[in-house]
Amino acid sequence: MTTDPGPAPSATASASARRAPAGAAVLREDVTEAIRNAVLEELAAVGFSRMSIEGIARRAGVGKTAVYRRWKSKLHLVLDLVGAFAVDGLPVPATGSLYGDVRVLLEVMSHVLRHPVASAVIPDLLVEASRNPEIADAVRGALLDGQHRMAQGIVSDAVARGELPAQISPDHALDLLIGPLYWRQVVVRDAVTPAHLDTLAHQVVAGLKSAPGPA
């Protein structure tokens, strides 16, 4: 006597059954955060050049596969960290004045530069970038794209209001905005007070208004 196997599963059900074990696990956010935290710890302990996926996985308490499901290399992992704290997703300041916009952006960047990624990861990456063009290009894109967009928006709005001449370069504005702040907070590691940001904002605005334009 044969046993009736019941109705044959549909093609869709069969496909779902085949797909589920292989890949269909949703990436857990707690695991992702554990890996990101492990990257910061590993970078602080050994630096980028000696950092390994194995070491990251060990610190995070996961297997290497969990890391590779999310990032294909340690460079991509670190750049993800850099991109996560960058200003790319933030709106361009719109206070109605050049000074106001500059002051808001300085406040945002001062907050960003207090993040461990800025104080520990980026300086180490910049050292590696001086030896590796691939890292240099990747870091430049991760760091500058969002900041350049904001500087371009601030300059464009100021030009439209008649506060700046049309030939002012957003790159020049970004140099004036970020350079002194990065030097003070990340290199010198000195305190940045609201009064210092007020003064710096006035100096940036004065510098932009007196700039002769691109050479």
Side-chain angles (χ1 to χ4, degrees), residues 96-165:
S97 74
L98 176 59
Y99 172 82
D101 290 351
V102 167
R103 181 61 176 79
V104 168
L105 183 54
L106 286 172
E107 185 77 40
V108 169
M109 290 309 304
S110 179
H111 177 75
V112 165
L113 290 174
R114 289 194 292 270
H115 193 282
V117 170
S119 60
V121 176
I122 290 177
D124 193 38
L125 277 180
L126 293 176
V127 172
E128 295 298 324
S130 67
R131 299 189 289 258
N132 187 322
E134 179 189 8
I135 294 177
D137 290 344
V139 170
R140 179 180 176 83
L143 289 177
L144 291 184
D145 287 351
Q147 294 175 9
H148 185 273
R149 176 185 59 83
M150 294 188 80
Q152 190 167 32
I154 289 174
V155 169
S156 296
D157 289 347
V159 169
R161 289 191 299 263
E163 292 185 88
L164 288 177

Side-chain angles (χ1 to χ4, degrees), residues 2-196:
T2 61
T3 302
D4 183 359
S10 68
T12 301
S14 298
S16 298
R18 288 194 301 270
R19 286 196 300 267
V26 175
L27 297 180
R28 289 170 46 188
E29 187 58 32
D30 60 326
V31 173
T32 302
E33 284 306 306
I35 295 171
R36 287 188 174 121
N37 291 334
V39 173
L40 288 173
E41 294 173 7
E42 189 77 356
L43 280 167
V46 302
F48 180 81
S49 62
R50 295 175 56 198
M51 186 179 75
S52 67
I53 296 296
E54 291 82 358
I56 293 167
R58 185 166 55 250
R59 285 183 185 273
V62 301
K64 289 192 298 181
T65 303
V67 181
Y68 282 119
R69 280 198 193 107
R70 292 160 173 82
W71 302 277
K72 63 182 181 180
S73 72
K74 69 177 186 178
L75 174 59
H76 288 86
L77 209 169
V78 171
L79 290 176
D80 174 68
L81 280 179
V82 173
F85 94 102
V87 299
D88 192 43
L90 297 177
V92 175
T95 66
S97 74
L98 176 59
Y99 172 82
D101 290 351
V102 167
R103 181 61 176 79
V104 168
L105 183 54
L106 286 172
E107 185 77 40
V108 169
M109 290 309 304
S110 179
H111 177 75
V112 165
L113 290 174
R114 289 194 292 270
H115 193 282
V117 170
S119 60
V121 176
I122 290 177
D124 193 38
L125 277 180
L126 293 176
V127 172
E128 295 298 324
S130 67
R131 299 189 289 258
N132 187 322
E134 179 189 8
I135 294 177
D137 290 344
V139 170
R140 179 180 176 83
L143 289 177
L144 291 184
D145 287 351
Q147 294 175 9
H148 185 273
R149 176 185 59 83
M150 294 188 80
Q152 190 167 32
I154 289 174
V155 169
S156 296
D157 289 347
V159 169
R161 289 191 299 263
E163 292 185 88
L164 288 177
Q167 72 269 18
I168 290 294
S169 163
D171 290 332
H172 177 62
L174 196 57
D175 290 343
L176 290 175
L177 277 160
I178 307 303
L181 199 58
Y182 184 87
W183 174 263
R184 187 179 181 95
Q185 285 195 225
V186 179
V187 180
V188 180
R189 297 183 184 273
D190 205 352
V192 173
T193 64
H196 176 78

